[in-house]
Amino acid sequence: MNDELVRAWRADARVPGTVLLDGFHALKHALRFGGAVRQVLTADRAALLALADELAADVRPALDGLAVELPEAELRTLVPRLHPTGVVALAARPTAEANLAALARRPRTAPVVLLENPRNLGNVGAVIRLAAGFGATGVVTTGDLDPWHPTVVRGSAGLHFATAVERLALPELPAGPLYVLDPEGADIRTLAFPDDALLAFGTERHGVSAELKARADHLVAVPMEPGVSSFNLATSVAMGLFHWMSGRPPGGHRP
């Protein structure tokens, strides 16, 4: 029986578009936000269901139907590093068509976050987690990094399924006014971000490219003390999204 579970997992993991959900929180969010979870393996089924009862009762019925117990030693052969909660799952990545439709839908009631050529997997995961928390329409990346890499999904705690996450080229960006965070821009406190904005962020080391700056409708700067070279990427995104949210009435959209 255990051999059959391992074979089925490995076969499913090779299917294009399969996403590894590593740990309880990633699995919880995938289930909560409508992710197509196909397999759930756990070292301790009773403990997993008890954890769901404590932290996420809304997903407990789905877990009860999906979770299958497999000894921890065999679980560790299936993933590079087993999460302390002792559970792993496989889900289907949302289609590019569905994500692109969500990004393109107008009128847009929340910004899209654009990360130009990000390099750090953990930072991208943190940004996606922020975007989901603030209710952003989605996160778009450019460059070589796969925003659905397992390390990114782990960093987002599975909140990829709560927002639209896609990798696009600059000419493919969704419509909307482009606000580029850049030290040469106007003080962020002097302008508001509209709901349909694209909020663009470059790398901590190099900032945004000349091409992206040339496309910008607005360059925006977050004030920093002299001698401080940059903010962490996720921190910058958090400040940008909070600035947008601070312009909305509590509990509703900006009129």
Side-chain angles (χ1 to χ4, degrees):
M1 176 63 177
N2 289 348
D3 289 344
E4 292 177 10
L5 289 173
V6 169
R7 281 195 298 271
W9 174 279
R10 289 180 171 155
D12 199 5
R14 291 192 293 268
V15 174
T18 297
V19 179
L20 173 65
L21 302 172
D22 189 10
F24 175 77
H25 295 294
L27 173 57
K28 168 191 73 179
H29 286 135
L31 291 170
R32 180 172 290 162
F33 291 102
V37 178
R38 298 195 296 251
Q39 291 195 51
V40 177
L41 298 179
T42 176
D44 188 333
R45 192 175 188 280
L48 174 64
L49 295 178
L51 189 61
D53 286 334
E54 179 184 357
L55 300 178
D58 58 310
V59 305
R60 206 264 193 198
L63 278 178
D64 192 20
L66 286 166
V68 177
E69 194 165 279
L70 187 70
E72 182 175 325
E74 295 188 60
L75 271 182
R76 290 186 180 278
T77 70
L78 300 178
V79 290
R81 178 167 57 103
L82 184 64
H83 192 274
T85 53
V87 61
V88 293
L90 296 175
R93 173 176 173 168
T95 66
E97 291 77 12
N99 278 337
L100 291 173
L103 292 166
R105 192 174 299 126
R106 304 298 293 274
R108 194 160 55 233
T109 58
V112 172
V113 174
L114 168 62
L115 305 181
E116 187 185 32
N117 198 27
R119 311 311 303 163
N120 185 283
L121 295 165
N123 265 343
V124 176
V127 167
I128 293 167
R129 189 169 184 170
L130 284 165
F134 279 102
T137 295
V139 176
V140 169
T141 66
T142 69
D144 297 331
L145 184 147
D146 178 8
W148 283 84
H149 187 283
T151 301
V152 182
V153 176
R154 184 171 182 144
S156 81
L159 283 163
H160 283 62
F161 293 93
T163 190
V165 178
E166 277 298 326
R167 177 170 50 179
L168 301 174
L170 288 183
E172 300 172 319
L173 295 180
L178 179 59
Y179 288 72
V180 173
L181 276 286
D182 183 83
E184 299 176 2
D187 190 313
I188 193 172
R189 295 169 293 184
T190 66
L191 76 172
F193 293 155
D195 291 343
D196 64 345
L198 278 71
L199 305 181
F201 302 82
T203 63
E204 294 164 24
R205 184 170 184 180
H206 300 294
V208 296
S209 68
E211 180 184 1
L212 186 59
K213 287 174 70 171
R215 295 171 61 96
D217 296 292
H218 302 275
L219 297 180
V220 185
V222 176
M224 287 186 292
E225 288 295 305
V228 178
S229 57
S230 68
F231 292 114
N232 171 271
L233 175 61
T235 300
S236 296
V237 173
M239 288 189 286
L241 288 173
F242 181 80
H243 181 69
W244 161 71
M245 181 176 279
S246 69
R248 302 172 72 190
H253 298 300
R254 185 185 292 117

